[in-house]
Amino acid sequence: MTGSDPPSVSRHLPSGVHKAVRPGCALLRLETTESREGVLDGAWWPRSRDIGAELPALLSALTVHLGPVTRVGLDTAAWEELPTRIVVDDRVVHIDSFPVGDDTVLITRGDQDVFSLLAIPPHATPEAARAAMAQAVRADNITRGKQILIDTGSGQAPSD
């Protein structure tokens, strides 16, 4: 590498993280500055499309790092039976549903602080999910969620 070559950017997660990434996991890139420049703040790989079963664990984990979550924005068509609110850790979290595509989950804390997580489809292979999650948490990522799923093969249903 010469002095003018850009540093290579790994598209992989640290090796220890690979063992932990499995359905039900969330990876977050939390920055301590007000300026979050990446398109996504993290990724979530739910086990199923049952939001009632999947969302409480995610919100409990996020609350530890972000503080109380007030709202969640989800795609109506991507989840089974979306409620309008859910109680997590004795707090009511409002659920907003939009027909916008299932590639992101919007998490709001406070009045306006929104975090965007890439939603990995439950059927994704571990390799594809890991690749998508690694891309989503990169601070310099400018690729939208839908394109990450296409690029990594995470959005494709497994072949039978």
Side-chain angles (χ1 to χ4, degrees), residues 119-157:
I120 310 294
H123 63 262
T125 65
E127 296 78 20
R130 289 179 185 120
M133 293 177 103
Q135 176 68 21
V137 298
R138 285 186 42 210
D140 63 345
N141 174 49
I142 58 170
T143 306
R144 299 271 176 212
K146 185 172 190 152
Q147 189 61 49
I148 290 173
L149 295 179
I150 292 168
D151 292 348
T152 61
S154 300
Q156 299 172 350

Side-chain angles (χ1 to χ4, degrees), residues 4-5 17 21-22 28 38 46 49 60 64 69 76 78 84 91 99 109 124 137 141 160:
S4 63
D5 290 339
V17 175
V21 174
R22 61 192 182 287
L28 303 175
R49 295 288 185 187
S60 290
V64 169
V69 172
T76 309
T84 58
R91 295 184 59 91
R109 71 170 180 190
V137 298
N141 174 49
D160 293 330

Side-chain angles (χ1 to χ4, degrees), residues 31-48:
E31 295 188 28
T32 57
T33 63
E34 291 183 22
S35 171
R36 296 190 316 258
E37 297 185 16
V39 173
L40 298 162
D41 298 300
W44 176 42
W45 187 16
R47 292 179 188 94
S48 72

Side-chain angles (χ1 to χ4, degrees), residues 72-91:
V72 176
L74 299 165
D75 178 33
T76 309
W79 302 95
E80 299 169 2
E81 302 180 30
L82 276 179
T84 58
R85 67 180 71 73
I86 191 167
V87 177
V88 177
D89 299 332
D90 297 324
R91 295 184 59 91

